[in-house]
Amino acid sequence: MEQNSAIILAAGAGKRMKSSKPKVLCEVLLKPMLGWVLTSCEQAGIPHVCVVTGHGREQVEAYLDGKYETAVQQEQKGTGHAVLCAETFLKQHLDGDVVVLCGDAPFMDGQTIQRAHEYHQQQGNAVTVISANLEQPFGYGRIIRDNGQVTGIVEQKDATEEQKQITEVNSGTYWFKAADLLQVLTEIKPNNAQGEYYLTDAVELLLQQGKKAGAYQAEDANVILGANDRKTLYRLNTIAREKILEQHMENGVEFVCTDGVVIGPDVVIGMETQILPGTILKGKTTIGTQCVIGPNSLVKDTTVGDRCVLNATQAYDSIIHEDVTIGPFVQIRPNCEIHHKAHIGDFVEVKNSTIGAGTAVAHLTYVGDSDVGSNVNFGCGVVTVNYDGVNKHRTTIEDDAFIGCNTNLVAPVRVGKGAYTAAGSTITKDVPDGALGIERAQQTIKEGFATRKLKGRKKKA
Ligand code: UD1
Ligand code: CA
């Protein structure tokens, strides 16, 4: 695969999607369709990838984050023209084969791409179209064959009534010998119902030059499905969701009921973990074994160790080690690391902080920009005061400290090893190891005050 490359067509507007995003960024299982295609290229082991951008180019490039080469198609004149816009890239990889893919067909998987390539090489083809048989071929280009031999592809809008009956359709993914593709690209003419430069015409042009063309039929017809509007996008979501849930079940993940459960394609879940209703797992999330996730939890780009509980919890871009219990009603915001056997209880928010092993933050607490050691105990209602209106500051709490209920820790501040803070204190100065920090007025007692008041109240009544 070393000399092989991929060109992903992603310049179209996708008007029918009615979205401010370009179509290829519309999501299936909370991952942009273009992301699915990029993952498939990666899985197929294709080392060089170029994305053709146009509509919503800034958004697409922001998504690509400089990780892929791009080519620009200023005006959308058709798929053939889109590939031509990547001419410079194509010329850099002329020795190998190039696979052209559509950014709006997320299910084209790495294995199908690889198998089609093997077929392409065995046959010595100049072009191999990946095709599939669909019961409802409407809208797709049809594969035209003569005595079994592929002779061309005709678009829905250009097809005769007879051709419209053909159920073998073009997936929009093709393997080409790169040099052969380059040769015919400039010969494509917009002589068709849509006045566009069709990449599909390359098949006929190559045949005219005496080159070989063929079709590789995908085993699973679903791999070719694309989305042009919200309804088809929803249909793709439904198909992908079922398939992914089944894969997790095959791996030993337990679902009592899958209501409201959405799991992204890149999520990994260990055996014997139970996923409860209302749980959304997205991005590059990894969950260990024997966890209980949910009900009603949302986890994004987070690693969760074995035997953790995340009950009604949201966690983003963080690491949670083994045997941690969290929830209910907890938010773990980005950049947290929670060490083993920590306990985060109800109505707690943790942000950009480390929580040491065995530490308990049991109720109604905000821990932000903090480094908390192991076996620390937080009383109810503790707040790290991390923001002075201009800058954020860090709080350090050493091992075995005990933070009294309703303590404010005004950062930057340090509570030493094994130190205490008294309930209700607003701690602004460091508390040394083993000391007690207390910051509140002495209590005074007014004897008989309440009794006198009570008598007054009773008289009035
Ligand atoms: C295309 C194929 C059709 C195939 C179908 C599979 C052609 C002429 N037709 O039709 O045979 O069955 O895909 O889904 O190729 N794009 C650009 N620039 C353009 C036009 C399109 O980058 O100027 C991109 C789009 O963003 C999209 C992809 O190419 O990702 C396919 O374009 P689209 O207009 O959706 O083609 P289809 O009509 O679906
Ligand atoms: Ca399409």
Coordinates of all heavy atoms in Angstrom, one line a residue, residues 14 21 32 40 127 223 238 265 267 276 283 307 315 329 345 389 400 410 432 442:
G14 N -24.4 20.1 -0.5 CA -25.4 19.3 0.2 C -26.6 20.2 0.6 O -27.0 20.2 1.7
K21 N -23.7 23.6 8.0 CA -22.4 22.9 7.8 C -22.3 22.3 6.4 O -23.4 22.0 5.9 CB -22.4 21.7 8.8 CG -22.1 22.0 10.2 CD -21.8 20.8 11.0 CE -23.1 20.2 11.5 NZ -22.9 19.2 12.6
P32 N -18.6 13.1 12.2 CA -18.9 13.6 10.8 C -18.6 12.5 9.8 O -17.7 11.7 9.9 CB -17.8 14.7 10.7 CG -17.6 15.2 12.0 CD -17.7 14.0 12.9
S40 N -11.7 4.9 7.5 CA -11.7 3.8 6.6 C -10.4 3.7 5.8 O -9.8 2.7 5.6 CB -12.9 3.8 5.7 OG -14.1 3.7 6.4
V127 N -9.3 0.7 -13.9 CA -10.3 1.2 -13.0 C -11.2 0.0 -12.5 O -11.6 -0.8 -13.2 CB -11.2 2.3 -13.6 CG1 -11.9 1.9 -14.8 CG2 -12.2 2.8 -12.5
V223 N -22.7 -0.9 2.7 CA -21.4 -0.1 2.7 C -21.5 1.1 1.7 O -20.7 2.0 1.8 CB -20.1 -0.9 2.4 CG1 -20.0 -2.1 3.4 CG2 -20.1 -1.4 1.0
T238 N -29.6 5.1 12.1 CA -30.3 3.9 12.6 C -29.6 2.6 12.3 O -29.4 1.7 13.1 CB -31.7 3.9 12.0 OG1 -32.3 5.1 12.3 CG2 -32.6 2.8 12.7
P265 N -18.7 5.2 16.6 CA -18.0 4.1 16.0 C -16.6 3.8 16.6 O -16.1 2.7 16.4 CB -17.9 4.5 14.5 CG -18.0 6.0 14.6 CD -19.0 6.3 15.7
V267 N -15.7 4.0 19.8 CA -15.8 3.7 21.3 C -15.4 2.2 21.5 O -15.9 1.3 20.8 CB -17.2 4.0 21.8 CG1 -17.3 3.6 23.3 CG2 -17.4 5.5 21.7
L276 N -26.5 1.3 30.7 CA -27.9 1.5 31.0 C -28.5 2.6 30.1 O -27.8 3.4 29.5 CB -28.0 1.9 32.5 CG -27.5 0.8 33.5 CD1 -27.5 1.3 34.9 CD2 -28.5 -0.4 33.4
G283 N -16.8 10.0 20.5 CA -15.4 10.3 20.3 C -14.6 9.0 20.6 O -15.0 7.9 20.4
R307 N -14.2 -1.6 36.4 CA -15.1 -1.6 37.5 C -15.5 -0.2 38.0 O -15.6 0.1 39.2 CB -14.4 -2.3 38.7 CG -14.2 -3.8 38.4 CD -13.4 -4.5 39.5 NE -12.1 -3.8 39.7 CZ -11.0 -4.0 39.0 NH1 -11.0 -5.0 38.1 NH2 -9.9 -3.4 39.2
A315 N -18.8 13.3 31.3 CA -17.4 13.3 31.4 C -16.8 13.6 30.0 O -17.2 13.1 29.0 CB -16.8 12.0 31.9
F329 N -25.5 13.0 39.0 CA -25.5 14.4 38.7 C -24.1 15.0 38.8 O -23.9 16.0 39.6 CB -26.5 15.1 39.5 CG -27.8 14.4 39.5 CD1 -28.4 13.9 40.7 CD2 -28.5 14.1 38.3 CE1 -29.5 13.1 40.7 CE2 -29.7 13.3 38.3 CZ -30.2 12.9 39.5
G345 N -19.3 12.2 44.4 CA -20.7 12.0 44.7 C -21.6 13.1 44.0 O -21.1 13.8 43.1
G389 N -11.5 36.7 38.2 CA -12.1 37.6 37.2 C -11.1 37.9 36.1 O -11.6 38.4 35.0
D400 N -4.1 13.0 52.4 CA -4.8 12.8 53.7 C -5.4 14.1 54.3 O -5.7 14.1 55.5 CB -3.8 12.2 54.7 CG -3.2 10.9 54.3 OD1 -3.9 10.1 53.7 OD2 -1.9 10.7 54.4
V410 N -9.3 29.8 48.4 CA -9.0 30.9 47.4 C -7.6 30.7 46.8 O -6.6 30.9 47.5 CB -9.2 32.3 48.1 CG1 -9.0 33.4 47.1 CG2 -10.6 32.4 48.8
P432 N -0.2 24.7 56.7 CA 1.0 23.8 56.7 C 0.6 22.3 57.0 O -0.5 22.1 57.4 CB 1.8 24.3 57.9 CG 1.3 25.7 58.2 CD -0.2 25.7 57.8
Q442 N -15.3 34.1 66.0 CA -15.6 33.3 67.1 C -17.1 33.4 67.4 O -17.8 34.4 67.2 CB -15.0 34.0 68.4 CG -13.5 33.7 68.4 CD -13.1 32.3 69.0 OE1 -14.0 31.6 69.5 NE2 -11.9 31.9 68.8

